[in-house]
Each structure stands twice: as C-alpha cells, then as structure tokens.
Amino acid sequence: MQERLQQLQAEALHKVDNASGLKELNDIRAAYLGKKGPITEVLKGMGKLSAEERPKMGALANEVRDAITAAIESKQQLLEEAAVVEQLASETIDVTLPGRPVKVGNHHPLTRIIEEIEDLFMGMGYAVAEGPEVEQDYYNFEALNFPKGHPARDMQDSYYISDDILLRTHTSGVQARTMEKNHGKGPVKIICPGKVYRRDNDDATHSHQFMQIEGLVVDENIRLSDLKGTLDLFAKKMFGEDREIRLRPSFFPFTEPSVEMDISCKFCGGTGCGVCKDTGWIEILGAGMVHPNVLEMAGYDSKKYTGFAFGLGIERIAMLKYGVDDIRHFYTNDNRFLKQFSVHE
Ligand code: FA5
C-alpha cells in the first residue's frame, strides 16, 4: 500500500509539473483527489492492515494528498500569473503613436458674414430683432405702403400660401412689426437678419431663397446724411477703404427718397464680366428714408419722427468679400468649397 501511495504521488506530481493550462490542472485535481480517485480506492484496503500499520498508512495518505494539493496550488498560481502576463502583452497600447487627426467643422461663410455685420452694428448701438419667415401680406406689403394690386408688388415675385399669407419676400416686414410694437414712441435702432423667398430665376447672383439683413433707425431729426454715413462706414469696414461704392436713386414704396448701393465688381475690377453682367458693379442693398405713410401706419407722428432703413443681401456681400463667383456655391454644401473658409487650417 505504501508503494502504491508513493507511486500515485510521483505520478500526480509529474502530471502537475507538465500541465500547460488551468483546465488540465483541474482535471488532475479531480482525478487524484476526488472521492472516486485512486487514493480513496487504496484507502479502502486499510481494513486489511494491522492496527499498528493503519495509522501510519492513514498519515502517509494524508501526506500524499497534501503534497499533490500543494503542487496543484503552486502550479495554479504560476499558470494564472502567466495568463495575466500574456493578456497584458496582447493588450499593450503604444502611447507614443501619433493620434488620428480630429476633423473640426467651421462656420458657414454666410453665418460668418451675418456675425460680422451683427458685431459691427451692435457696436453702433443697434439691437438684433427677429420676424417670421411665413408672413402676413399685411406686414410684408400693406404696412409698407404696397396696397393690394399695387404694381410695385411685382418687383418681388412671391410664394403665396393663402390669399393673406406668404413666404416673406424681404426682411422689411420686421420694420413694420418693430415700429408697431413701440406704439409710436421713442427711438428704434435695430437690425434683423433672416431668410427670404422670391420666385426669381436662379443664376450666378440670384437665388429663389436667400438672406437679407434689414436695418431700421427711427428718431427725431434722422436725416439722409445719417443713412449715407452709416452705409459708407459699413462698406468700408466690410470691404476695405479701397473698394468703390456708388448710390443710385431708386424706388421702394416704403422709402422716400430711395437709393440702391452698388460695390465695384471684385472679379473684373470694374471693367465688366459675367458675374456683374458687364456693368462693373454689383448691387448689394436697397435703402431710403422711411416713408411718412409707413411711420403713420405704425402709429408714429411723421411730423415729429423720421427714420432710415436699409436691406442688404448677405450672399451678395459674401460673394464680394470672399471672391465667390456663383451664389449657388453657398447652398450645395460641397465640403471642398466650405473648408476654404475654415479658420482651423
Ligand atoms: C428689398 O428687398 C428691400 N426690402 C430693401 C430695402 C429695405 C429698401 C429697406 C429700402 C429700405 P431688393 O429687392 O433690392 O430690396 O433686395 C435687397 C437686396 O437683396 C439686393 O440689393 C440684393 O443684394 C439682394 N437680392 C435681391 N434679390 C436677390 C436674389 N434673388 N438672390 C440673392 N440676393 C438678392
């Protein structure tokens, strides 16, 4: 019996030594130390031993079990440590590798122009106002001195939703809304950026949907020279001192007198090209002194108050400032175009 136990110990220790994985080690444990294992089997023969030998064999069997258990435990520790080392090696991150570049977006060129113009006018004490894009005929036309059937309505071919509701053709409706809210009292000094819609044919300088910024100043003693000075300052800040500007007499039912402002064409230097339709000039805004009828309709005493207003096309300004030769580039969202305006590259 003693020999058999020693043989089992040597056999088990050899297998433990050669075990290459935790599963194999568990199988050895079950095979040698389990209830149906060979050691238990050997011990069943204890009854045949003398009373003297029995405790010796019992003690030897315990020693054999303890030796196999200790060998399994230390091997288990070795295998677990090896597994951790292997896992760490396979998950190693090389922190010295350069990172992948993160693409950073940028503001749309039209947003940049709006923000620049807002900053400029806010610096002169203007507040920023808003108005609805789906507008009542009253604010888009009637309150601006365009009665129903007035031929000047044809200047702005409109998208009507019902007889009285349309997509606003200009931001000038905000003039009427703002003055009405003030109940004919006190000064008004606002700009209003926003989208407008017209049934214009799309070409290099026209779009059926575009953006405008409206400006309105109403107070006592506001004169045409105030308008001229404001537009002059605006043009110089936006385009630089060297660009030529001209004011032409024009007509809008809601201003009297009315003017339009042109800037010399950046693409041909004023000699004439496809973009400026061979005129050498590009129109960027309409303006004028607020018509007394418009002041009165909004509740202002036109003998006491006067005002000026202007409405500029944001795309046209962006075209001139950035040298974009076709308005449609602003709407196609072509990344090759947009990323030229990135401040990050
Ligand atoms: C108006 O819309 C007037 N409401 C402007 C105004 C405001 C006059 C206050 C007097 C007082 P006009 O239709 O000219 O005016 O348009 C103003 C500007 O919008 C033009 O100078 C031009 O820069 C731009 N614009 C007009 N039509 C288009 C279009 N189809 N596509 C792109 N820009 C346009």
Side-chain angles (χ1 to χ4, degrees):
M1 186 176 277
Q2 183 177 352
E3 250 172 51
R4 175 72 182 132
L5 283 171
Q6 282 164 345
Q7 186 197 351
L8 282 173
Q9 176 175 343
E11 202 181 284
L13 293 185
H14 180 70
K15 283 188 180 168
V16 168
D17 214 24
N18 289 324
S20 57
L22 288 168
K23 159 120 187 29
E24 196 182 336
L25 200 60
N26 273 336
D27 291 345
I28 297 169
R29 189 199 313 267
Y32 284 89
L33 302 177
K35 276 189 191 149
K36 290 180 188 157
I39 298 176
T40 317
E41 212 45 48
V42 171
L43 291 178
K44 278 184 189 161
M46 292 265 273
K48 292 184 195 140
L49 297 177
S50 65
E52 214 174 272
E53 275 200 295
R54 232 178 274 151
K56 284 191 197 153
M57 280 310 125
L60 179 62
N62 283 340
E63 275 169 31
V64 169
R65 269 186 211 278
D66 289 349
I68 296 173
T69 306
I72 287 175
E73 275 169 10
S74 83
K75 182 73 180 190
Q76 182 171 348
Q77 200 178 341
L78 282 179
L79 288 174
E80 280 172 354
E81 280 168 10
V84 170
V85 169
E86 196 181 323
Q87 190 184 357
L88 285 178
S90 72
E91 290 175 4
T92 302
I93 297 167
D94 182 354
V95 290
T96 63
L97 277 177
R100 292 198 183 96
V102 178
K103 285 192 179 154
V104 182
N106 53 281
H107 280 151
H108 192 278
L110 297 180
T111 307
R112 282 176 59 179
I113 294 286
I114 292 171
E115 285 179 355
E116 204 174 316
I117 296 176
E118 281 181 354
D119 279 353
L120 175 62
F121 280 97
M122 283 186 332
M124 293 193 276
Y126 286 69
V128 178
E130 280 186 357
E133 285 174 36
V134 178
E135 183 57 288
Q136 297 173 34
D137 182 276
Y138 176 76
Y139 291 110
N140 196 77
F141 287 131
E142 280 187 52
L144 296 173
N145 208 25
F146 291 87
K148 283 218 160 84
H150 192 287
R153 286 187 176 215
D154 296 344
M155 288 163 73
Q156 301 178 0
D157 234 347
S158 321
Y159 290 111
Y160 272 92
I161 289 167
S162 69
D163 282 353
D164 287 321
I165 305 284
L166 74 162
L167 296 181
R168 67 179 175 191
T169 55
H170 53 178
T171 42
S172 297
V174 182
Q175 285 185 35
R177 286 181 171 276
T178 309
M179 285 192 276
E180 193 183 77
K181 246 189 252 159
N182 274 29
H183 303 293
K185 284 194 195 73
V188 176
K189 209 171 174 188
I190 54 134
I191 54 163
C192 166
K195 291 195 191 102
V196 302
Y197 305 84
R198 288 186 199 178
R199 282 170 38 199
D200 278 349
N201 290 328
D202 290 0
D203 62 21
T205 51
H206 290 82
S207 170
H208 56 281
Q209 177 199 308
F210 58 102
M211 298 185 84
Q212 288 188 333
I213 293 190
E214 191 78 10
L216 173 71
V217 174
V218 177
D219 205 344
E220 294 177 34
N221 296 319
I222 299 290
R223 290 181 286 252
L224 185 64
S225 54
D226 296 316
L227 170 64
K228 200 166 169 249
T230 305
L231 295 182
D232 205 42
L233 182 96
F234 160 74
K236 291 208 159 91
K237 291 266 182 210
M238 277 319 272
F239 302 107
E241 302 281 333
D242 53 336
R243 296 296 289 285
E244 277 189 71
I245 290 152
R246 74 175 184 190
L247 289 180
R248 282 179 288 110
S250 186
F251 169 77
F252 298 102
F254 42 99
T255 46
E256 181 58 36
S258 303
V259 292
E260 277 178 319
M261 187 164 101
D262 302 333
I263 301 257
S264 58
C265 178
K266 183 182 175 110
F267 304 97
C268 59
T271 54
C273 67
V275 181
C276 61
K277 301 205 173 82
D278 288 325
T279 62
W281 298 95
I282 295 185
E283 174 205 320
I284 59 158
L285 61 83
M289 298 305 290
V290 182
H291 196 291
N293 288 356
V294 174
L295 287 167
E296 295 285 343
M297 271 188 275
Y300 278 84
D301 177 355
S302 64
K303 294 203 177 61
K304 186 171 169 201
Y305 287 103
T306 49
F308 68 73
F310 56 88
L312 49 91
I314 293 172
E315 284 84 345
R316 298 269 178 93
I317 289 176
M319 287 174 78
L320 285 162
K321 194 165 163 81
Y322 298 133
V324 176
D325 63 359
D326 196 314
I327 197 169
R328 287 163 288 203
H329 288 309
F330 292 118
Y331 313 120
T332 46
N333 274 340
D334 184 335
N335 242 338
R336 289 166 303 177
F337 172 72
L338 293 176
K339 74 179 179 201
Q340 295 175 58
F341 302 92
S342 171
V343 288
H344 304 291
E345 284 169 26

